[in-house]
Amino acid sequence: MQQRTVLVVLFDGVQSLDVTGPLEVFTGASHRHRDAEPYRVVTASLDGAPLRTSSGLTLVPDLRLADAAARPWHTLLVPGGAGTRADDADLVAWLRAHAPRARRLVSVCTGAVLLARAGLLDGRRATTHWAYCDTLARNHPEVEVDPDPIYVRDGHVATSAGVTAGIDLALALVEEDLGRDTALTVARYLVVFLRRPGNQAQFSAQLSAQTARSEPLREVQRWISENPGGDLSVESLAGRARLSPRHFARSFQAETGTTPGKYVERVRVEQARRLLEDTSDGVEEVSRACGYGTPEAMRRAFVKALGTPPAEYRRRFHSPLNATP
């Protein structure tokens, strides 16, 4: 088996979990692969000197980036962190000159900002931490910024959302390289789930929508979450809030930032997704429990929200109840 070198770029103010999360995934795959060590992980910074992460942890790079540039690598990973907000022209220049040599270019969190400054995301779809998506889009209009997914693949370039999403992306890359069994073994050992597809939203419906200011609408939000299989029509929800349907719809959107219908749709998809992941209930049973009425209605909702039908989603992300690390 050909060994893949993963070069992780370090800098002052890097987010430690952006580094250690993917690193644990790749090294874990090497430790647990039965035939060979498929990955060699190398860290490098501009000067090769010890540096401080944004949380105060000290990291010691293996190499200077100038030395790393002379070596071939398969995957170049750029983490994020507060340090990406510094105007480090030398680091950006190095990325611009050398990153195109990588067979696979990866960023975690605001590492996408460094790639964008180097012109490596021009004409590509990308994501980053939700709090910086607007800034990335405003400063780099040539990049198609998608604020919703936890990670995005565009050709050989992959970008991910905040911190733990880097682990999801690294697991997806291991699955692509070595197969699902190896990725699942690593996920179990790290006590994380091999289940989140890249186009899963960074936030659940409850987190992505604002919490309503008024108690009647907050109660409606709780009711929706606890009763996805119930009558969640605007008329029914308006009745619970003791408002006219028109007044309710207008107030709900004003206070939560989304319409009642879109909120209900996201809650139902999330509940159906959890049932497909965590139970052995049939698709028809899940569709009824989540208010879809028919499996076909749920299939349409899944394809729209996640890009995959329920049966395929279960095949990829169902975790056996008795699974052990």
Side-chain angles (χ1 to χ4, degrees), residues 195 200-209 224-225 228 262-278 286 290 292 298 301-302 305-306 313:
R195 60 172 55 179
Q200 182 172 318
Q202 292 192 33
F203 283 127
S204 66
Q206 292 90 332
L207 288 177
S208 61
I224 293 171
S225 298
K262 289 181 179 179
Y263 188 81
V264 167
E265 184 177 0
R266 291 193 65 177
V267 168
R268 283 178 165 162
V269 167
E270 286 167 12
Q271 176 63 9
R273 179 175 54 77
R274 285 192 291 268
L275 291 176
L276 291 172
E277 292 169 358
D278 299 331
V286 170
C290 296
Y292 288 110
M298 187 170 80
F302 260 63
L306 300 175
Y313 184 92

Side-chain angles (χ1 to χ4, degrees), residues 108-281:
V108 180
C109 196
T110 53
V113 172
L114 295 177
L115 296 186
R117 287 179 188 159
L120 299 168
L121 298 181
D122 289 1
R124 294 188 180 276
R125 180 169 165 260
T127 194
T128 186
H129 190 288
W130 62 268
Y132 297 94
C133 282
D134 287 347
T135 301
L136 180 62
R138 183 171 58 254
N139 292 342
H140 301 279
E142 62 279 6
V143 181
E144 182 187 346
V145 179
D146 190 338
D148 290 328
I150 58 172
Y151 61 83
V152 168
R153 304 287 301 277
D154 188 333
H156 75 291
V157 179
T159 54
S160 63
V163 289
T164 58
I167 296 175
D168 293 289
L169 175 55
L171 285 168
L173 297 177
V174 168
E175 182 175 3
E176 176 183 287
D177 294 340
L178 307 175
R180 178 176 172 79
D181 288 346
T182 298
L184 182 58
T185 298
V186 174
R188 287 175 174 172
Y189 187 82
L190 295 177
V191 198
V192 297
F193 291 114
L194 180 67
R195 60 172 55 179
R196 296 208 294 174
N199 57 354
Q200 182 172 318
Q202 292 192 33
F203 283 127
S204 66
Q206 292 90 332
L207 288 177
S208 61
Q210 304 168 38
T211 300
R213 296 186 299 274
S214 61
E215 178 56 31
L217 294 186
R218 287 200 300 271
E219 173 58 30
V220 166
Q221 286 182 294
R222 286 193 292 269
W223 171 261
I224 293 171
S225 298
E226 295 169 1
N227 299 274
D231 180 3
L232 302 183
S233 63
V234 169
E235 291 75 17
S236 175
L237 297 177
R240 298 193 64 82
R242 295 185 172 87
L243 298 171
S244 70
R246 184 176 180 180
H247 187 192
F248 167 76
R250 192 165 54 239
S251 299
F252 190 95
Q253 182 164 9
E255 294 196 25
T256 68
T258 189
T259 66
K262 289 181 179 179
Y263 188 81
V264 167
E265 184 177 0
R266 291 193 65 177
V267 168
R268 283 178 165 162
V269 167
E270 286 167 12
Q271 176 63 9
R273 179 175 54 77
R274 285 192 291 268
L275 291 176
L276 291 172
E277 292 169 358
D278 299 331
T279 76
S280 297
D281 295 348

Side-chain angles (χ1 to χ4, degrees), residues 38-72:
Y39 298 106
R40 175 172 177 262
V41 181
V42 177
T43 59
S45 67
L46 281 172
D47 59 8
L51 51 86
R52 300 273 282 182
T53 70
S54 58
S55 60
L57 182 70
T58 298
L59 298 180
V60 181
D62 297 314
L63 301 168
R64 295 184 307 133
L65 283 173
D67 298 326
R71 306 183 182 193

